[in-house]
Amino acid sequence: MTTITPYRPAVQAGRDGFGQLLRAEWTKFRTVRGWLIGLGVAAVVTVLLGVLTGGSNDIACATGPGSPVKHGRACLPPPPPTAPGGQPVRDAFYFVHQPLAGNGSLTARVTSLTGRYAAGQGPYPQLTTPGLQPWSKGGIIIKTGTKPGSRYAAMLVTGSHGVRMQDNFTQDSAGLPGLVSAVSPRWLRLTRDGDTITGYDSADGAHWNLVGTAHLTGLPATVQAGLFAASPDHTVINQNFGGGESGTSDPSQATAVLDRVSLAGSAGGAWTGTQVGGGAAAAAPGRFQRAGDAFTVTGSGDIAPVPPGDGNGLGPNITIERNLAGAFAGLIAIAVVAALFITAEYRRGLIRTTLTASPRRGRVLAAKAIVVAAVTFMAGLAAAVVAVAAGNHLAAAKGFYLYPVTGLTEVRVVAGTAALLAVGAVFALGMGALLRRSAVAVTAVIVAIVLPYILVVASILPVGTADWVLRLTPAAGFAIQQSVPAYPQVYGLYTPNGGFFPLSPWAGFAVLCAWAAAALGLAAYRLRRRDA
Amino acid sequence: MSQAAAAGQVRLPGRPAGALAGLRACLRAEWTKTRTVAGPAWLLAATAGMTVAVSVAVIAAVRCPAGMACPVDPGRLSLTGVQLGQAMVAILGVLTISSEYSTGMMRTTLTAMPRRSLVLAAKAAVLTGEVIMAAAVGVLGSVLAGRLIMPGHGFTAARGFAPLSLASGPVLRAACGSVLYLALIALLSLGIAALVRDAATATGIVLGLLYLAPVAAGFITNHHWHNRVQRYSPMPAGLAIQATRHLASLPITPWGGLGVLAAWAAAALLAGGLLLRLRDA
């Protein structure tokens, strides 16, 4: 009897780990020249479309009624004051103040807030029409100084948003609702304790409610405390289809009547009236009158952030996401590559080899998703960095005002654009695995992500419907590119046309992720149930 | 068969000579290919169905409340679905030739019909015919939906919105023009697919060409460049044919816009046809 030894190959069996699977998929990806070219094309068109749309823009503005249109830097307004956070702000109001050294407290009762505005724009607007703006404001304020952009905390009554506590231009919290009048006055109080300023309101001067707390780091020992009034421009928004564009904007003025003013602490000197900032002051100069402890303060302007867009006084301005419009083009190229990453296997029959080598099908799909997402993210990140750098350089050279954002926001917008492309790639991969036909999968992805955006920005849909489209469709993911939030304390038009999405950046991105996860999950289910 | 052709004298029975007869044979072959696979029929049904579906959804969403000025072009609004229908048409146009390349059928086709430009012409003719049929259904459905729904949403005759009717010249132009638009999109897709062969790549290029222009136009604030994009890119220019009012404010005339799209389609077909002759299949 001879013993038969089974044949044992010298080569060791490959390990069945997930790492091995990832490596196999990565090898497939990097060895197909067309896919690498596609990835390169995606990066290039992302940069090119962004730079071309930005680069085609030119500054042209009329400096006044009847004056010729000028080009270039000739007509740029002076740079605006900025908040401690770096945002451009409007800081113009009439301030009746006196210095307050150290800790202390300021209390006043507002009995009336009225306003006037100019209806119809003219070269010399007359403030003849009575009426308040939604964010006309009057109240008490503690401010570092009278320099525009300096730190502050204020308790105020508004035209139609009740009592608010606002600080450092972007913070806003609500107090008592309702309009102020002689029969329903509002008591306001600000208390300084070190760097902390606390705001209270009361309807009767006896029962006080905490409205908010502001931490003004580095507040000097002596601050200016007092009363103020401001009223932003009367803005008429033509609410037509697709939100239209904002309409006319005319100067306005608010008058606040405050009494029982008391300043507790080491305050000294008399009440002084100062016009802080410029703006509409020339058309409607601020003033105050005093009778005992009662003050009537009249002022124009606003203490608020300036959102990006046209007609906000910043002159020609762009946000950083304007340079990333090319993500739409990149997404189309990425969708092609990612869909082919799976459909090409079906076309060539390679999928049978793949699934023989790695029979756990869900893991194959997961490995593919990870590889395509990682590769796309890297390419997208490089493209986004270049596009933002080139676009900002181009815009600065032309004299555009670059809307400043914090470093963290910039990282979120740039990396978010790369992540958007990566999740788009996973979505395309899932659709490719689900449909198995590359042309259909590519079309499905492009139509799902790009078409809703077009229908919304092309001003076909009314505002409400457009918002829902951008909440539910994968196009919601582009919210990750929005660098400046919509400020509820500034009346204006916040539409997708102007770069404002209905969902917050991360919520919108999550919607896209949900679509991608659904496509991938369905694809994994079908991959297991169906023969390859 | 190629030997027979080379000999020049052997004529197969039932195969008459002449370019016209050759075209007829090609057309028959292409028509047989189209009608014997399920894909094209589904895509044609999807073209008509999705055109009507999106149109109805948009028409249903838009209302003209009392007291508000509604700067809406009712013709263009009720034909919004064409913007999705064209994606289905693009797939159909691309697959007409790409699927032959991916399955290797192209070599059989070109062996049977060696006159390559004739093959492309036959494909274009069959494609145009079937797309016109499907597009007509989609466009008529959309106009009908507009006629039925819009008056109930505040677009009444009293406010200057006469019910949509094909008897009115501008609406007829918008409707027929939209059908032609979809046919031209199909031809553009066919030409690009003949150029690049791969279905996914061709689809990506066609849809990028179509959809990126309106996105870019939204980001361009320079008036001149904005106008140029609207005038010379296939989708915004071609869709100018849907305008039924305020023609003077359009960046390009309706028929001029369709002409721009036709030029794009012709260029793509020409380049595709040229490469088809110059390259091995």
Coordinates of all heavy atoms in Angstrom, one line a residue, chain A residues 197-277:
Chain A
I197 N -22.4 89.7 32.0 CA -23.6 90.6 32.1 C -24.8 89.8 32.0 O -25.0 89.0 31.1 CB -23.5 91.6 30.9 CG1 -22.2 92.5 31.1 CG2 -24.7 92.5 30.9 CD1 -22.0 93.5 30.1
T198 N -25.8 90.0 32.9 CA -27.0 89.3 33.0 C -28.2 90.2 32.7 O -28.2 91.3 33.1 CB -27.2 88.6 34.3 OG1 -25.9 88.1 34.7 CG2 -28.2 87.5 34.3
G199 N -29.1 89.7 31.9 CA -30.2 90.5 31.5 C -31.5 90.0 32.1 O -31.7 88.7 32.1
Y200 N -32.3 90.9 32.6 CA -33.6 90.5 33.2 C -34.7 91.4 32.6 O -34.4 92.5 32.1 CB -33.6 90.7 34.7 CG -32.5 90.0 35.4 CD1 -31.3 90.6 35.6 CD2 -32.8 88.8 36.0 CE1 -30.3 90.0 36.3 CE2 -31.7 88.1 36.7 CZ -30.5 88.8 36.9 OH -29.5 88.1 37.6
D201 N -35.9 90.8 32.5 CA -37.1 91.7 32.1 C -38.2 91.5 33.1 O -38.2 90.5 33.9 CB -37.5 91.5 30.7 CG -38.1 90.1 30.4 OD1 -38.2 89.3 31.4 OD2 -38.4 89.9 29.3
S202 N -39.1 92.4 33.1 CA -40.2 92.3 34.0 C -41.4 93.1 33.5 O -41.2 94.1 32.7 CB -39.8 92.9 35.4 OG -40.9 93.1 36.2
A203 N -42.6 92.7 33.7 CA -43.8 93.5 33.3 C -44.2 94.5 34.3 O -44.9 95.4 34.0 CB -44.9 92.5 33.0
D204 N -43.8 94.4 35.6 CA -44.3 95.3 36.6 C -43.2 95.9 37.5 O -43.4 96.7 38.3 CB -45.2 94.5 37.5 CG -44.6 93.2 38.0 OD1 -43.4 93.0 37.9 OD2 -45.4 92.4 38.5
G205 N -41.9 95.5 37.2 CA -40.8 96.1 38.0 C -40.6 95.4 39.3 O -39.8 95.8 40.1
A206 N -41.5 94.4 39.6 CA -41.3 93.7 40.9 C -40.9 92.3 40.7 O -40.0 91.7 41.4 CB -42.7 93.7 41.7
H207 N -41.5 91.6 39.7 CA -41.1 90.2 39.4 C -40.2 90.2 38.2 O -40.6 90.5 37.1 CB -42.4 89.4 39.1 CG -43.4 89.5 40.3 ND1 -44.4 90.5 40.3 CD2 -43.6 88.7 41.4 CE1 -45.1 90.3 41.4 NE2 -44.6 89.3 42.1
W208 N -39.0 89.7 38.4 CA -38.0 89.8 37.3 C -37.7 88.4 36.8 O -37.6 87.4 37.6 CB -36.7 90.4 37.8 CG -36.8 91.9 38.1 CD1 -37.2 92.4 39.3 CD2 -36.6 92.9 37.2 NE1 -37.3 93.8 39.2 CE2 -36.9 94.1 37.9 CE3 -36.2 93.0 35.9 CZ2 -36.8 95.4 37.3 CZ3 -36.1 94.2 35.3 CH2 -36.4 95.4 36.0
N209 N -37.6 88.3 35.5 CA -37.3 87.0 34.8 C -35.9 87.1 34.2 O -35.6 88.1 33.6 CB -38.2 86.7 33.7 CG -39.7 86.9 34.1 OD1 -40.1 86.4 35.1 ND2 -40.4 87.7 33.3
L210 N -35.1 86.0 34.3 CA -33.8 86.0 33.7 C -34.0 85.8 32.2 O -34.7 84.9 31.8 CB -33.0 84.9 34.3 CG -31.6 84.7 33.6 CD1 -30.6 85.7 34.1 CD2 -31.1 83.3 34.0
V211 N -33.4 86.6 31.4 CA -33.5 86.5 29.9 C -32.3 85.8 29.3 O -32.4 84.9 28.5 CB -33.8 87.8 29.2 CG1 -34.0 87.6 27.7 CG2 -35.1 88.4 29.8
G212 N -31.1 86.2 29.8 CA -29.9 85.6 29.2 C -28.7 86.1 29.9 O -28.8 87.0 30.8
T213 N -27.6 85.5 29.7 CA -26.3 85.8 30.3 C -25.3 85.9 29.2 O -25.2 85.0 28.3 CB -25.9 84.7 31.3 OG1 -26.9 84.5 32.2 CG2 -24.7 85.1 32.0
A214 N -24.5 87.0 29.2 CA -23.5 87.2 28.2 C -22.1 87.2 28.9 O -22.0 87.8 29.9 CB -23.7 88.6 27.5
H215 N -21.2 86.5 28.2 CA -19.8 86.5 28.8 C -19.0 87.3 27.8 O -18.7 86.9 26.7 CB -19.3 85.1 28.9 CG -20.1 84.3 29.8 ND1 -20.0 84.4 31.2 CD2 -21.1 83.4 29.6 CE1 -20.8 83.5 31.8 NE2 -21.5 82.9 30.9
L216 N -18.6 88.5 28.2 CA -17.8 89.4 27.3 C -16.4 89.3 27.8 O -16.0 90.1 28.8 CB -18.4 90.8 27.4 CG -19.9 91.0 27.1 CD1 -20.3 92.4 27.1 CD2 -20.2 90.3 25.7
T217 N -15.6 88.5 27.3 CA -14.2 88.3 27.8 C -13.4 89.6 27.6 O -13.5 90.2 26.5 CB -13.5 87.1 27.1 OG1 -13.8 87.2 25.7 CG2 -14.0 85.8 27.6
G218 N -12.6 89.9 28.6 CA -11.8 91.1 28.5 C -12.5 92.4 28.5 O -12.0 93.4 28.0
L219 N -13.7 92.4 29.2 CA -14.4 93.7 29.3 C -13.6 94.6 30.2 O -13.2 94.2 31.3 CB -15.8 93.4 29.9 CG -16.9 94.4 29.7 CD1 -17.2 94.5 28.3 CD2 -18.1 94.0 30.6
P220 N -13.4 95.9 29.8 CA -12.6 96.8 30.6 C -13.3 97.1 31.9 O -14.5 96.9 32.0 CB -12.3 98.0 29.7 CG -13.4 97.9 28.7 CD -13.8 96.5 28.5
A221 N -12.5 97.7 32.9 CA -13.1 98.0 34.2 C -14.2 99.1 34.0 O -15.3 99.0 34.6 CB -12.0 98.5 35.1
T222 N -13.9 100.1 33.1 CA -14.9 101.1 32.9 C -15.6 100.9 31.6 O -14.9 100.8 30.5 CB -14.3 102.5 33.0 OG1 -13.7 102.6 34.2 CG2 -15.3 103.6 32.8
V223 N -16.9 100.8 31.6 CA -17.7 100.6 30.3 C -18.7 101.8 30.2 O -18.8 102.6 31.1 CB -18.4 99.3 30.3 CG1 -17.5 98.1 30.3 CG2 -19.4 99.2 31.5
Q224 N -19.3 101.9 29.0 CA -20.3 102.9 28.8 C -21.7 102.2 29.0 O -21.9 101.2 28.4 CB -20.2 103.5 27.4 CG -18.9 104.2 27.1 CD -18.8 105.5 28.0 OE1 -19.8 106.1 28.3 NE2 -17.6 105.8 28.4
A225 N -22.5 102.7 29.8 CA -23.8 102.1 30.0 C -24.8 103.2 29.7 O -24.6 104.4 30.0 CB -24.0 101.7 31.5
G226 N -25.9 102.8 29.1 CA -27.0 103.8 28.8 C -28.1 103.3 28.0 O -28.4 102.1 28.0
L227 N -28.8 104.2 27.4 CA -30.0 103.9 26.6 C -29.7 104.1 25.1 O -28.8 104.8 24.7 CB -31.1 104.9 27.0 CG -31.1 105.3 28.5 CD1 -32.1 106.5 28.7 CD2 -31.5 104.1 29.3
F228 N -30.5 103.4 24.3 CA -30.2 103.5 22.9 C -31.5 103.3 22.1 O -32.5 102.7 22.6 CB -29.2 102.5 22.4 CG -29.7 101.1 22.2 CD1 -30.0 100.6 21.0 CD2 -29.9 100.3 23.3 CE1 -30.5 99.3 20.8 CE2 -30.4 99.0 23.2 CZ -30.7 98.5 21.9
A229 N -31.4 103.7 20.8 CA -32.5 103.4 19.9 C -31.9 103.2 18.5 O -30.9 103.9 18.2 CB -33.5 104.6 19.8
A230 N -32.4 102.3 17.7 CA -31.9 102.0 16.4 C -33.1 101.4 15.6 O -34.0 100.8 16.2 CB -30.8 101.0 16.4
S231 N -33.0 101.6 14.3 CA -34.0 101.0 13.4 C -33.4 100.7 12.1 O -32.9 101.6 11.4 CB -35.2 102.1 13.3 OG -36.2 101.5 12.6
P232 N -33.4 99.4 11.7 CA -32.8 99.1 10.4 C -33.7 99.6 9.3 O -34.9 100.0 9.5 CB -32.8 97.5 10.5 CG -33.9 97.2 11.4 CD -33.9 98.3 12.4
D233 N -33.2 99.5 8.1 CA -33.9 100.0 6.9 C -35.2 99.3 6.7 O -35.4 98.1 7.0 CB -33.1 99.8 5.6 CG -32.0 100.8 5.5 OD1 -31.9 101.7 6.4 OD2 -31.2 100.7 4.6
H234 N -36.2 100.1 6.3 CA -37.5 99.5 5.9 C -37.3 98.7 4.7 O -37.0 99.3 3.6 CB -38.5 100.7 5.7 CG -39.8 100.2 5.1 ND1 -40.7 99.5 5.8 CD2 -40.3 100.5 3.9 CE1 -41.7 99.3 5.1 NE2 -41.6 99.8 3.9
T235 N -37.5 97.4 4.7 CA -37.2 96.5 3.6 C -38.5 95.9 3.1 O -39.2 95.3 3.9 CB -36.2 95.5 4.0 OG1 -35.1 96.1 4.5 CG2 -35.8 94.6 2.8
V236 N -38.8 96.0 1.9 CA -39.9 95.4 1.3 C -39.4 94.2 0.4 O -38.6 94.4 -0.5 CB -40.7 96.3 0.4 CG1 -41.9 95.6 -0.3 CG2 -41.2 97.5 1.2
I237 N -39.8 93.0 0.8 CA -39.4 91.9 0.0 C -40.5 91.5 -1.0 O -41.6 91.2 -0.5 CB -39.0 90.7 0.9 CG1 -37.8 91.1 1.7 CG2 -38.8 89.4 0.1 CD1 -37.4 90.1 2.7
N238 N -40.2 91.4 -2.2 CA -41.2 91.0 -3.2 C -41.3 89.5 -3.2 O -40.6 88.8 -3.8 CB -40.8 91.5 -4.6 CG -40.8 93.0 -4.6 OD1 -41.6 93.7 -4.0 ND2 -39.8 93.6 -5.3
Q239 N -42.3 89.0 -2.4 CA -42.4 87.6 -2.2 C -43.1 87.0 -3.4 O -44.3 86.7 -3.4 CB -43.2 87.3 -1.0 CG -42.5 87.5 0.3 CD -41.7 86.3 0.7 OE1 -41.6 85.3 0.0 NE2 -41.0 86.3 1.8
N240 N -42.4 86.9 -4.5 CA -43.1 86.2 -5.6 C -42.5 84.8 -5.8 O -42.1 84.2 -4.8 CB -42.9 87.0 -6.9 CG -41.5 87.3 -7.2 OD1 -40.6 86.6 -6.9 ND2 -41.3 88.4 -7.9
F241 N -42.5 84.3 -6.9 CA -42.1 82.9 -7.1 C -40.6 82.7 -6.9 O -39.8 83.4 -7.3 CB -42.6 82.4 -8.4 CG -44.1 82.2 -8.4 CD1 -44.8 83.3 -8.8 CD2 -44.7 81.1 -8.0 CE1 -46.2 83.2 -8.7 CE2 -46.0 81.0 -7.9 CZ -46.8 82.0 -8.3
G242 N -40.3 81.6 -6.2 CA -38.9 81.3 -5.9 C -38.3 82.3 -5.0 O -37.1 82.4 -4.8
G243 N -39.2 83.0 -4.3 CA -38.7 84.0 -3.3 C -38.3 85.3 -3.9 O -38.1 86.3 -3.3
G244 N -38.2 85.4 -5.3 CA -37.8 86.6 -5.9 C -36.6 87.2 -5.4 O -35.8 86.5 -4.8
E245 N -36.4 88.5 -5.5 CA -35.2 89.1 -5.0 C -35.7 90.2 -4.0 O -36.9 90.6 -4.1 CB -34.3 89.7 -6.0 CG -33.6 88.7 -6.9 CD -32.8 87.7 -6.1 OE1 -32.1 88.1 -5.2 OE2 -32.9 86.5 -6.4
S246 N -34.9 90.6 -3.1 CA -35.3 91.5 -2.1 C -35.6 92.8 -2.8 O -35.0 93.2 -3.8 CB -34.3 91.8 -1.0 OG -33.1 92.2 -1.6
G247 N -36.6 93.5 -2.3 CA -37.1 94.7 -3.0 C -36.4 96.0 -2.5 O -35.2 96.0 -2.3
T248 N -37.2 97.0 -2.2 CA -36.7 98.3 -1.9 C -36.2 98.3 -0.4 O -36.7 97.5 0.4 CB -37.8 99.4 -2.1 OG1 -38.9 99.0 -1.3 CG2 -38.1 99.5 -3.5
S249 N -35.4 99.2 -0.1 CA -34.9 99.4 1.2 C -34.7 100.9 1.5 O -34.0 101.6 0.8 CB -33.5 98.7 1.3 OG -33.1 98.5 2.6
D250 N -35.5 101.4 2.5 CA -35.5 102.8 2.8 C -35.1 103.1 4.2 O -35.4 102.2 5.1 CB -36.9 103.4 2.5 CG -37.3 103.1 1.1 OD1 -36.6 103.4 0.2 OD2 -38.4 102.6 0.9
P251 N -34.6 104.2 4.5 CA -34.2 104.5 5.9 C -35.4 104.6 6.8 O -36.5 104.9 6.4 CB -33.5 105.9 5.8 CG -33.8 106.4 4.5 CD -34.2 105.3 3.6
S252 N -35.2 104.3 8.1 CA -36.2 104.4 9.1 C -35.7 104.9 10.4 O -34.4 105.0 10.5 CB -36.9 103.0 9.3 OG -36.1 102.2 10.0
Q253 N -36.5 105.2 11.3 CA -36.1 105.7 12.6 C -37.0 105.2 13.7 O -38.2 105.0 13.4 CB -36.2 107.2 12.5 CG -35.4 108.0 13.5 CD -35.5 109.5 13.3 OE1 -36.6 110.0 13.1 NE2 -34.4 110.1 13.2
A254 N -36.5 105.0 14.9 CA -37.3 104.5 16.0 C -37.1 105.5 17.2 O -36.0 106.0 17.4 CB -36.9 103.1 16.4
T255 N -38.2 105.7 17.9 CA -38.1 106.5 19.1 C -38.6 105.7 20.3 O -39.7 105.1 20.3 CB -39.0 107.7 18.9 OG1 -38.6 108.5 17.8 CG2 -39.0 108.6 20.2
A256 N -37.7 105.6 21.3 CA -38.1 104.9 22.5 C -38.2 105.8 23.6 O -37.5 106.8 23.8 CB -37.0 103.8 22.8
V257 N -39.3 105.6 24.4 CA -39.5 106.4 25.6 C -39.2 105.6 26.8 O -39.8 104.5 27.0 CB -40.9 107.0 25.7 CG1 -41.1 107.8 27.0 CG2 -41.2 107.8 24.5
L258 N -38.2 106.0 27.6 CA -37.8 105.2 28.8 C -37.9 106.1 30.0 O -37.5 107.3 30.0 CB -36.3 104.7 28.7 CG -36.0 103.9 27.4 CD1 -35.3 104.7 26.4 CD2 -35.2 102.6 27.8
D259 N -38.4 105.5 31.1 CA -38.3 106.3 32.4 C -37.8 105.4 33.5 O -37.5 104.2 33.3 CB -39.7 106.9 32.7 CG -40.8 105.9 32.8 OD1 -40.5 104.7 32.8 OD2 -42.0 106.2 32.8
R260 N -37.8 106.0 34.7 CA -37.3 105.3 35.9 C -36.0 104.7 35.7 O -35.7 103.6 36.0 CB -38.3 104.2 36.4 CG -39.7 104.8 36.5 CD -40.5 104.2 37.5 NE -41.9 104.7 37.4 CZ -43.0 104.1 37.9 NH1 -42.8 103.0 38.7 NH2 -44.1 104.6 37.8
V261 N -35.1 105.5 35.0 CA -33.8 105.0 34.6 C -32.9 105.1 35.9 O -32.9 106.2 36.5 CB -33.2 105.9 33.5 CG1 -31.8 105.5 33.2 CG2 -34.0 105.8 32.3
S262 N -32.3 104.0 36.3 CA -31.4 104.1 37.4 C -30.2 103.3 37.2 O -30.2 102.2 36.6 CB -32.1 103.6 38.7 OG -32.3 102.2 38.6
L263 N -29.0 103.9 37.5 CA -27.7 103.3 37.2 C -27.1 103.1 38.6 O -26.8 104.1 39.3 CB -26.9 104.2 36.4 CG -25.6 103.7 35.8 CD1 -25.8 102.4 35.1 CD2 -24.9 104.8 34.9
A264 N -27.0 101.8 39.0 CA -26.5 101.5 40.3 C -25.0 101.1 40.2 O -24.7 100.4 39.3 CB -27.2 100.4 41.0
G265 N -24.1 101.7 41.0 CA -22.7 101.4 40.9 C -21.9 102.7 40.9 O -22.5 103.8 41.0
S266 N -20.6 102.6 40.6 CA -19.8 103.8 40.7 C -19.9 104.5 39.3 O -19.0 104.4 38.5 CB -18.4 103.5 41.1 OG -17.9 102.4 40.3
A267 N -21.1 105.1 39.0 CA -21.2 105.8 37.8 C -20.9 107.3 38.1 O -21.1 107.7 39.2 CB -22.6 105.6 37.2
G268 N -20.5 108.0 37.0 CA -20.2 109.4 37.3 C -20.5 110.2 36.1 O -20.4 109.7 34.9
G269 N -20.9 111.4 36.3 CA -21.0 112.3 35.2 C -22.4 112.4 34.7 O -23.3 111.8 35.2
A270 N -22.6 113.2 33.6 CA -23.9 113.4 33.0 C -24.2 112.5 31.9 O -23.2 111.8 31.4 CB -24.0 114.9 32.6
W271 N -25.4 112.4 31.5 CA -25.8 111.6 30.3 C -25.3 112.4 29.0 O -25.6 113.5 28.9 CB -27.3 111.4 30.2 CG -27.8 110.5 31.3 CD1 -28.4 110.9 32.5 CD2 -27.7 109.1 31.4 NE1 -28.7 109.8 33.3 CE2 -28.2 108.6 32.6 CE3 -27.1 108.1 30.6 CZ2 -28.3 107.3 33.0 CZ3 -27.2 106.8 30.9 CH2 -27.8 106.4 32.1
T272 N -24.6 111.6 28.1 CA -24.1 112.2 26.9 C -24.8 111.5 25.7 O -25.0 110.3 25.8 CB -22.6 112.0 26.8 OG1 -22.1 112.2 28.1 CG2 -22.0 113.0 25.8
G273 N -25.2 112.2 24.7 CA -25.7 111.6 23.5 C -24.7 111.5 22.4 O -24.0 112.4 22.1
T274 N -24.5 110.3 21.9 CA -23.5 110.0 20.8 C -24.2 109.2 19.7 O -24.9 108.3 19.9 CB -22.4 109.2 21.4 OG1 -21.8 109.9 22.5 CG2 -21.3 109.1 20.3
Q275 N -23.9 109.6 18.5 CA -24.3 108.8 17.3 C -23.2 107.8 17.1 O -22.1 108.2 16.7 CB -24.5 109.7 16.1 CG -24.7 108.9 14.8 CD -26.1 108.1 14.8 OE1 -27.1 108.7 15.2 NE2 -26.0 106.9 14.4
V276 N -23.4 106.6 17.3 CA -22.4 105.5 17.1 C -22.5 105.1 15.6 O -23.6 104.8 15.2 CB -22.6 104.3 18.1 CG1 -21.7 103.2 17.7 CG2 -22.5 104.8 19.5
G277 N -21.4 104.9 15.0 CA -21.4 104.5 13.6 C -22.0 105.5 12.7 O -22.4 106.6 13.1

